Amino acid sequence: MLAIETAHIALRPFLPDDAPRIAALLENGAVAQTTALIPHPYGLADAESWIAVHRELARTGDEYIFAITKKPKKDVVGAIGVRGKPDRFGHIGYWVGEKYWGQGLATEALQSVVAIGFDWLHADFLTALALHSNPASCRVLEKSNFTPTGTTDMPHRDWPGKQRFVHYRLERETWERARTVAERGESQ
């Protein structure tokens, strides 16, 4: 699997040595509250098990999961994945450690992974879900040209009852138009 570099981040496959860093980023539970899939508590064994399945998922083309690393030191600050076929949570999922919130890192990572979804996986559209109670994640998706298409109330493992999730969708045509406009702007 390849690595991708942008202005402020690099995306690369996770390594077994990243497990302690993942566990540390997720230990306080703040990230778990903002996502659908990360449990709390989350320990070293959880991180090791999660990283261990990445290679097989990529080999089968089911999902490509990347470490989001912050330049210049390339410390792991989060994760992002794109699935070839959406599950109930969509094609794309991501998280960034609480210390790194509000720095634009998730947006930069999402925009890179969207290109993989369209260019590698040949998707006609991409989908994602965000908790309604997580407006920052909704903004990340909207800044990346995803459009809200509805809501669903589903159980969230850390809260009683159901939580509202917002469905987002990005059409290939919309992405191609936005990419063309961005490329024209960069060349001027």
Side-chain angles (χ1 to χ4, degrees):
M1 200 162 64
L2 83 149
I4 300 166
E5 296 218 14
T6 66
H8 303 100
I9 63 167
L11 303 179
R12 63 161 174 81
F14 276 96
L15 305 170
D17 291 347
D18 292 327
R21 176 72 174 157
I22 295 301
L25 287 168
L26 298 175
E27 71 184 348
N28 76 359
V31 173
Q33 288 182 349
T34 65
T35 68
L37 298 175
I38 298 172
H40 183 72
Y42 193 96
L44 181 59
D46 298 308
E48 290 169 340
S49 296
W50 180 63
I51 291 170
V53 301
H54 292 186
R55 185 176 299 247
E56 180 63 13
L57 290 169
R59 187 191 69 73
T60 60
D62 290 333
E63 185 170 12
Y64 299 93
I65 302 170
F66 297 91
I68 303 170
T69 65
K70 186 175 179 184
K71 290 180 174 180
K73 294 184 346 183
K74 297 191 179 175
D75 292 330
V76 174
V77 299
I80 189 161
V82 59
R83 291 176 279 285
K85 294 180 182 166
D87 64 12
R88 69 184 180 127
F89 299 106
H91 288 93
I92 294 176
Y94 56 88
W95 63 268
V96 174
E98 184 178 21
K99 176 181 174 183
Y100 303 97
W101 290 356
Q103 297 179 29
L105 304 176
T107 302
E108 209 166 312
L110 177 59
Q111 290 169 357
S112 296
V113 167
V114 162
I116 291 169
F118 288 126
D119 288 342
W120 283 13
L121 303 176
H122 308 290
D124 293 324
F125 63 90
L126 294 171
T127 59
L129 263 68
L131 277 162
H132 186 265
S133 61
N134 184 357
S137 189
C138 294
R139 279 192 307 277
V140 165
L141 289 160
E142 291 167 7
K143 285 190 286 187
S144 301
N145 297 309
F146 281 75
T147 303
T149 60
T151 60
T152 302
D153 292 340
M154 296 189 302
H156 186 281
R157 33 148 240 295
D158 290 340
W159 295 324
K162 294 184 176 185
Q163 297 299 312
R164 179 147 297 165
F165 286 83
V166 182
H167 294 262
Y168 283 88
R169 183 176 173 114
L170 175 60
E171 300 291 336
R172 175 183 281 281
E173 286 179 18
T174 303
W175 174 73
E176 288 175 343
R177 276 194 309 271
R179 182 164 71 168
T180 300
V181 168
E183 288 170 354
R184 283 186 195 145
E186 289 173 4
S187 66
Q188 292 179 357

